[in-house]
Amino acid sequence: MIDVINLSVQFTGENLFEDVNLKINRNDKIALVGSNGKGKSTLLKIICGQELPETGKVLIQKGIRIGYLPQELISFKGRTLLEEVKSSMPDIKELEEKEASIISQLESTEIPEEEKRLLVEELGEIHHRKEQNDYYSLQARAEKVLTGLGFKNTDFDRRTEEFSGGWQMRIQLAKILLGENDLILLDEPTNQLDIGTLMWLENFLNSYRGSLIIVSHDRHFINNVTNKTLEIFNRNINFFPGTYEQYLRFRKEREKQLKEAEKNLEKKIKETERFIERFRYKATKARQVQSRIKQLEKIERIEIEEDEKQINFRIPEVKLSGAVPVELKKIFKSYGDISVLENIDIKIERGGKIAIIGPNGAGKTTLAKIIAKKILPSAGEVLYGHNTLVSYYEQEVTESLNGEDDLIDSLQSVNDILTPGQLRSLLGSFLFTGDSIFKKVKVLSGGEKSRLALARLLLTKSNLIILDEPTNHLDYSSKEVLQNALIDFNGTLIIVSHDIDFLKPIVNKVYELRDKSLKVHYGGIEYYLSRREEERTIEESVKQIQSHKSIRKENKRKEAELRQQKYNETKELKERLNYCEKRINELEKSKLELEKELADPEIFNSPIMLKEKNISYNNIKKELDLIFDEWTELFARLESIEEKYKEQLS
């Protein structure tokens, strides 16, 4: 389907990858992996034609459609939500325009018959293509995808410019999923999705018949969706026929083998260098020395990718709070006329490790901020227990950071006990080294601010930590270290996150926010997901039953309508037929009586009576012929109508 030939790409003078050759086949479901900054996003942009390589080319089979979801902010405007996602099918738009043009031409009275015949044939072909493209179910399909991605029915007619950045990304994702693409490229698609939407997207992509290439730090997602791994390693791109977890095991074994090979090679190099140094000035060994020097020059060094630096820390033991560090009583929260939370009653027990999950916009961040007393509820109480000390990490870290501080000052503002040297060591474990520790906070990137905020969090020694999407700016290894630290944390933990893989080993209780209320699930995230899957299956079954009932009800309604239509169409016909049949019987009797009378000698011998009887007899025959012709025509019409409805009612 797609061939990448001798591809090379440079960035700031260094090759990201060089002389790469690979093939992407139909139905490949690929996870694209590699260290940060190694060119994953660049490769996706080259495949979809948004960037050009230094050398080499990408050959794409004719007619292949590619859908691409970038990390960068996307913005739509000028259409309603439904109009925008339906526009992702250009073939449909083209068919609609052609159809309108042909109908306009056919309405002309001056068009020659032969040209009209050709236009009618072309119109029939367009209708056939519309059926092939499921044109008539497009609205329902678009609504189904939008609902799966978290949009509400009331959103369908909203203008696209009304939606925020995360929802703009979902609009683009909906267009890609509806776009009949042969290859879908997704660059970090999970960052803005809640768990429910992620589960829906997994199911959709698992049933998708095209090819996928996905860049994602969400292990759970890519393990469930992909079955091959494409790795950028040492300026090359390698295929691995397996899931990401299988690839990790392979990589671990490969690193072990490479380190052993490197060790043996270094040993051989040192032996050769010692020989050269020992016999460099002996004339009798000159040829051997030169030979060894040439051997040394030809040796190809084994390149081992450096291990990614990690945020390496352990949260210190904290003083225990009371048995109930925080309690929420009848919490209500509204923004203007919009109600977000209603009647929330919870007691959070000491040592609990809780995940707050739910759809985007359900109020997860609002609840976290209320627990942290960053915002006030509209009604209700938040009560802290004995010795409860709270630290809060939020998505928008700029809200809690002073932009004019340098990194050392930022840490000292929350803990002035540690020495500058200790603070430098802590910053180093968060990947801030050298002169970077003297940067002003305001010049840091989003990811750097997130890491700084996490470092500050560790210094507070709080026994209740609330984290709102802590993994959004962390890579695999950083997430793993943070995960291990939170597992060992001896205080109480509340995490707002959609990262299933991150939550799995940490949480022991799930708070699900939905429809302004909170439901507690006792057990970890896997237990919650299994229950959600059971509920989803039940919901699907109920929907199918309701759909079948609805279909049966609709069929009965249509059948009743058809029977009524049939009755209306045949009522007068049947009445007239009954009249005709009755009249025919009467006339036949009269005719028989007259025939008997005409055979009577008394009448036959009376010219006047005979004439009268003949006139009556001829009139009856004429009326019989007429009414029988009418009966025949009426019966044929009735039979035709009943045959038509018989097909529709069968």
Side-chain angles (χ1 to χ4, degrees):
M1 190 169 74
I2 294 178
D3 288 294
V4 177
I5 301 171
N6 297 330
L7 194 72
S8 295
V9 174
Q10 285 190 5
F11 182 72
T12 63
E14 293 185 6
N15 281 323
L16 290 175
F17 33 83
E18 52 187 338
D19 295 328
V20 167
N21 291 278
L22 62 94
K23 183 183 288 288
I24 300 165
N25 299 310
R26 292 187 183 276
N27 302 317
D28 278 348
K29 303 289 193 298
I30 301 166
L32 178 58
V33 303
S35 303
N36 288 347
K38 296 299 181 182
K40 299 187 293 294
S41 296
T42 300
L43 180 61
L44 294 186
K45 289 176 181 177
I46 288 172
I47 290 173
C48 71
Q50 288 197 6
E51 288 189 11
L52 296 175
E54 301 292 326
T55 60
K57 54 188 175 181
V58 177
L59 299 180
I60 301 174
Q61 191 177 323
K62 188 176 180 181
I64 292 297
R65 293 178 59 137
I66 299 176
Y68 170 56
L69 180 74
Q71 283 193 55
E72 295 81 11
L73 182 66
I74 301 164
S75 181
F76 296 101
K77 60 181 179 179
R79 290 175 172 156
T80 67
L81 175 61
L82 261 179
E83 288 170 345
E84 186 63 51
V85 298
K86 286 165 70 174
S87 73
S88 63
M89 304 183 74
D91 291 349
I92 294 299
K93 186 178 179 182
E94 181 187 344
L95 289 173
E96 285 178 335
E97 290 173 351
K98 281 186 177 180
E99 182 182 40
S101 173
I102 290 170
I103 290 171
S104 176
Q105 292 177 66
L106 287 172
E107 288 173 351
S108 172
T109 55
E110 300 176 0
I111 187 170
E113 281 300 317
E114 179 61 22
E115 188 177 340
K116 184 180 287 188
R117 184 183 65 80
L118 293 173
L119 284 171
V120 169
E121 287 180 4
E122 190 177 352
L123 188 62
E125 177 61 27
I126 287 171
H127 289 162
H128 178 64
R129 284 177 62 193
K130 284 171 77 172
E131 288 175 6
Q132 284 183 319
N133 287 319
D134 289 333
Y135 173 84
Y136 300 102
S137 67
L138 176 61
Q139 178 91 0
R141 287 165 55 211
E143 290 179 1
K144 184 178 179 181
V145 168
L146 287 170
T147 303
L149 290 174
F151 292 96
K152 298 176 183 176
N153 291 352
T154 51
D155 292 328
F156 295 162
D157 293 324
R158 288 176 59 192
R159 308 291 288 182
T160 52
E161 55 265 34
E162 296 175 23
F163 294 95
S164 63
W167 291 100
Q168 292 278 347
M169 183 278 287
R170 293 189 192 207
I171 295 173
Q172 174 67 0
L173 185 54
K175 293 179 68 174
I176 290 168
L177 299 182
L178 284 165
E180 303 293 334
N181 293 294
D182 303 283
L183 171 64
I184 291 177
L185 310 175
L186 303 177
D187 197 350
E188 294 292 357
T190 66
N191 282 354
Q192 303 289 339
L193 304 181
D194 56 74
I195 287 178
T197 306
L198 270 173
M199 292 172 69
W200 179 88
L201 183 59
E202 283 179 18
N203 290 329
F204 186 98
L205 294 178
N206 281 327
S207 61
Y208 167 64
R209 294 184 179 180
S211 300
L212 293 171
I213 303 179
I214 301 175
V215 175
S216 176
H217 283 123
D218 190 325
R219 291 191 189 185
H220 180 85
F221 177 72
I222 61 170
N223 274 313
N224 284 356
V225 171
T226 65
N227 53 26
K228 293 183 178 179
T229 304
L230 193 61
E231 172 202 51
I232 300 178
F233 175 71
N234 280 344
R235 298 183 300 282
N236 204 349
I237 298 178
N238 308 310
F239 249 123
F240 178 77
T243 65
Y244 181 73
E245 289 297 333
Q246 291 169 329
Y247 156 75
L248 287 178
R249 291 195 290 271
F250 158 78
R251 190 179 75 173
K252 190 173 181 180
E253 185 59 33
R254 181 185 63 190
E255 287 175 356
K256 183 179 175 182
Q257 292 173 358
L258 284 174
K259 285 178 180 178
E260 189 62 34
E262 183 187 41
K263 184 178 176 183
N264 292 334
L265 183 62
E266 287 298 323
K267 183 180 178 182
K268 182 179 177 182
I269 289 170
K270 285 179 180 178
E271 288 175 354
T272 303
E273 286 175 341
R274 280 199 299 269
F275 181 89
I276 293 169
E277 193 62 33
R278 182 178 177 186
F279 299 110
R280 182 185 296 274
Y281 303 110
K282 288 195 177 182
T284 56
K285 299 284 188 178
R287 289 181 63 186
Q288 290 172 288
V289 168
Q290 289 302 314
S291 174
R292 298 292 174 91
I293 289 172
K294 288 178 182 179
Q295 286 178 13
L296 205 57
E297 290 171 351
K298 290 178 181 179
I299 288 176
E300 290 188 14
R301 300 274 177 165
I302 294 173
E303 292 188 49
I304 299 177
E305 189 156 287
E306 291 182 15
D307 293 334
E308 293 183 4
K309 293 179 180 178
Q310 295 180 335
I311 300 174
N312 187 15
F313 65 86
R314 181 182 180 88
I315 301 175
E317 290 283 322
V318 295
K319 290 181 180 179
L320 296 180
S321 66
V324 178
V326 62
E327 181 178 0
L328 275 63
K329 289 187 174 182
K330 299 192 181 306
I331 295 294
F332 287 79
K333 182 62 181 178
S334 299
Y335 294 98
D337 296 331
I338 300 171
S339 176
V340 180
L341 302 173
E342 295 181 355
N343 201 28
I344 305 296
D345 266 305
I346 48 174
K347 278 186 180 181
I348 297 172
E349 297 172 352
R350 183 178 62 212
K353 295 189 176 179
I354 300 159
I356 300 178
I357 63 174
N360 282 12
K364 301 186 296 294
T365 293
T366 297
L367 180 59
K369 286 186 174 181
I370 287 173
I371 295 172
K373 292 190 176 180
K374 294 291 182 180
I375 59 173
L376 295 174
S378 304
E381 289 183 283
V382 179
L383 303 174
Y384 284 167
H386 173 69
N387 199 37
T388 297
L389 300 172
V390 183
S391 284
Y392 176 62
Y393 171 90
E394 56 195 328
Q395 293 183 65
E396 301 298 328
V397 293
T398 53
E399 293 179 13
S400 59
L401 298 174
N402 184 343
E404 295 302 322
D405 283 346
D406 63 26
L407 274 57
I408 292 284
D409 290 338
S410 187
L411 293 188
Q412 284 181 328
S413 67
V414 291
N415 188 316
D416 57 2
I417 297 173
L418 295 182
T419 66
Q422 289 173 316
L423 294 176
R424 280 174 179 258
S425 297
L426 179 59
L427 287 168
S429 69
F430 280 83
L431 314 186
F432 295 109
T433 58
D435 292 339
S436 66
I437 64 171
F438 300 113
K439 284 182 177 179
K440 294 285 187 184
V441 170
K442 64 184 179 183
V443 304
L444 298 180
S445 67
E448 288 171 330
K449 286 177 181 175
S450 295
R451 298 202 303 273
L452 177 61
L454 282 172
R456 284 163 54 90
L457 188 76
L458 298 184
L459 297 176
T460 62
K461 297 184 179 179
S462 301
N463 50 31
L464 172 59
I465 293 180
I466 303 166
L467 302 170
D468 189 0
E469 298 291 358
T471 64
N472 275 357
H473 298 284
L474 302 181
D475 57 20
Y476 287 130
S477 58
S478 299
K479 279 201 290 188
E480 187 175 352
V481 176
L482 177 60
Q483 188 181 63
N484 291 334
L486 295 177
I487 290 169
D488 294 335
F489 177 56
N490 70 319
T492 305
L493 187 63
I494 299 172
I495 309 174
V496 177
S497 178
H498 63 268
D499 192 326
I500 295 170
D501 191 67
F502 178 75
L503 293 173
K504 273 183 185 179
I506 300 173
V507 304
N508 51 31
K509 193 181 292 184
V510 175
Y511 287 172
E512 181 184 22
L513 275 176
R514 194 176 296 273
D515 299 326
K516 306 173 189 176
S517 61
L518 184 142
K519 183 177 180 181
V520 179
H521 299 267
Y522 296 92
I525 193 72
E526 289 182 288
Y527 172 75
Y528 164 77
L529 291 175
S530 67
R531 288 300 304 273
R532 279 287 293 156
E533 186 60 28
E534 287 173 13
E535 289 173 7
R536 191 188 68 80
T537 303
I538 292 169
E539 285 172 7
E540 287 296 320
S541 299
V542 170
K543 282 180 183 177
Q544 286 182 4
I545 291 168
Q546 290 173 341
S547 177
H548 290 153
K549 285 182 179 177
S550 177
I551 289 169
R552 284 199 298 272
K553 187 176 179 181
E554 181 67 13
N555 287 341
K556 285 181 179 178
R557 186 189 65 77
K558 286 182 178 178
E559 187 177 328
E561 283 182 358
L562 287 170
R563 291 188 188 281
Q564 184 63 42
Q565 288 173 15
K566 177 185 173 183
Y567 172 78
N568 292 338
E569 286 187 43
T570 60
K571 180 184 176 184
E572 291 184 6
L573 277 175
K574 286 180 177 179
E575 288 174 353
R576 186 63 185 172
L577 274 168
N578 287 334
Y579 167 78
C580 288
E581 288 169 357
K582 186 178 179 181
R583 184 63 183 152
I584 287 169
N585 286 331
E586 291 171 353
L587 291 170
E588 289 283 359
K589 285 180 183 178
S590 298
K591 183 174 172 242
L592 283 171
E593 288 175 3
L594 282 169
E595 284 174 348
K596 287 178 183 178
E597 290 175 354
L598 287 168
D600 188 334
E602 185 181 344
I603 293 173
F604 187 78
N605 291 325
S606 173
I608 294 172
M609 290 180 68
L610 181 64
K611 184 179 179 182
E612 287 176 354
K613 296 295 180 183
N614 273 324
I615 289 171
S616 295
Y617 183 78
N618 288 330
N619 286 340
I620 285 171
K621 277 186 69 178
K622 282 179 183 177
E623 187 178 351
L624 263 174
D625 288 341
L626 287 171
I627 204 161
F628 191 78
D629 286 344
E630 183 184 356
W631 181 90
T632 303
E633 182 186 346
L634 290 171
F635 185 80
R637 284 169 60 193
L638 178 64
E639 197 173 46
S640 173
I641 291 169
E642 287 186 332
E643 188 63 32
K644 177 183 75 173
Y645 281 102
K646 183 180 178 181
E647 290 177 6
Q648 293 182 26
L649 289 166
S650 61

